Amino acid sequence: MTLSRRTLLAMGAAASSLAPALAGSRPPRSNAARFSLGYAPHEGSFASRGGLLEQIAFAADQGFTAWEDNEARSRPVAEQERMARALAQRGMKMGVFVASMPRWAQSRPLLGGNDDAEREAFLADIRTSIDVARRLDATRMTIVTGFLDPKVPVDIQTARIIDVMRRAGDIVAPHGVAMVMEPLNTRTNHPGVYMQTIAQGFAVARGVNSPAVKILADLYHEQIQSGNLIPALEMCWSEIGYLQFGDNPGRNEPGTGEVNFAAIVRWLRARRYAGVIGMEHGNSLAGRAGEERLIAAYREIDRQGGNV
């Protein structure tokens, strides 16, 4: 069948009108090669580029494939939804958000203490965080296991924390979400917390024995508290569900402190790690110079980490 010129022109016009809609359904192309691992910036990593959504777009353009937002639970629902759409449009994976925020000034909660009300309040936070995880398409959420109660033997506190984490795991497991317990250092940032090392997190996670309760291995905290990073990861790997980077001292980007992040990247590649790595740190320089240095630092450890 021969098509008339008028028909051909009409078909061309229709195709032209559909092109913007089809283009809008595909993720925009990034301007840089994607990183080999799921390094996840956060709001503030690229503050000079604008607000939250502009920073997500900029991160995607630099080749980052994930995003992290500790504050997501406290954001209005509409903002959570906008962030989720922005991440989906750019093909980025959501990392952690904090499911139950500690009250640092009050040294609370005491999840191993004598007051059941503190544990019930924690479980209430976990229940309400499920909706946040669903909106953001997040599969991990951060848990801080609270502070030590000086009036209760540590072994009793450990047993109680295992019990409450089992209950929390039962709440989130049906939703395909895992809570990751974060050990924190007591020497620089968080004196008095209960969980202080990855090894301690391993003991609690094995006691809970649930795929919904794992460890967040924040290497900044672990370097301060224990060091010996790769052997700690090796021994506890079966219970580690998420990682965060941050150099020490200073808690800034790789290359500003003592941690050999290229070796850690190489180790993670050897284990085919495909999860998110939160960039849980600041920028060592202010403004755009600091942002460019941040990107360059991750390019460098990604390159030095090599292919396995």
Side-chain angles (χ1 to χ4, degrees), residues 292-303:
E292 291 168 2
R293 180 168 179 171
L294 173 70
I295 296 165
Y298 276 88
R299 286 288 177 206
E300 184 64 12
I301 64 170
D302 214 44
R303 182 190 65 80

Side-chain angles (χ1 to χ4, degrees), residues 56-110:
I56 289 172
F58 179 79
D61 284 343
Q62 308 316 304
F64 291 101
T65 60
W67 189 258
E68 185 176 87
D69 188 359
N70 284 342
E71 310 300 324
R73 188 176 185 274
S74 63
R75 296 184 187 276
V77 169
E79 189 173 13
Q80 295 174 22
E81 292 172 342
R82 285 192 294 270
M83 179 166 61
R85 285 193 297 270
L87 295 175
Q89 183 185 31
R90 301 308 294 263
M92 298 176 78
K93 184 183 294 187
M94 179 65 193
V96 292
F97 65 94
V98 178
S100 182
M101 185 62 72
R103 303 188 297 281
W104 301 110
Q106 302 171 43
S107 297
R108 289 291 191 277
L110 301 177

Side-chain angles (χ1 to χ4, degrees), residues 209-272:
N209 194 27
S210 167
V213 180
K214 295 295 181 181
I215 306 163
L216 191 170
D218 184 320
L219 300 189
Y220 163 76
H221 289 298
E222 186 73 9
Q223 175 67 8
I224 293 172
Q225 200 74 8
S226 297
N228 206 32
L229 297 180
I230 289 177
L233 292 173
E234 184 81 59
M235 287 186 288
C236 301
W237 189 242
S238 64
E239 298 300 328
I240 292 174
Y242 194 89
L243 289 103
Q244 289 177 332
F245 282 5
D247 217 337
N248 179 67
R251 201 172 193 176
N252 288 313
E253 70 271 9
T256 56
E258 63 191 357
V259 179
N260 186 349
F261 281 104
I264 292 165
V265 166
R266 193 175 305 117
W267 188 90
L268 292 171
R269 281 184 176 162
R271 277 139 193 85
R272 303 294 188 265

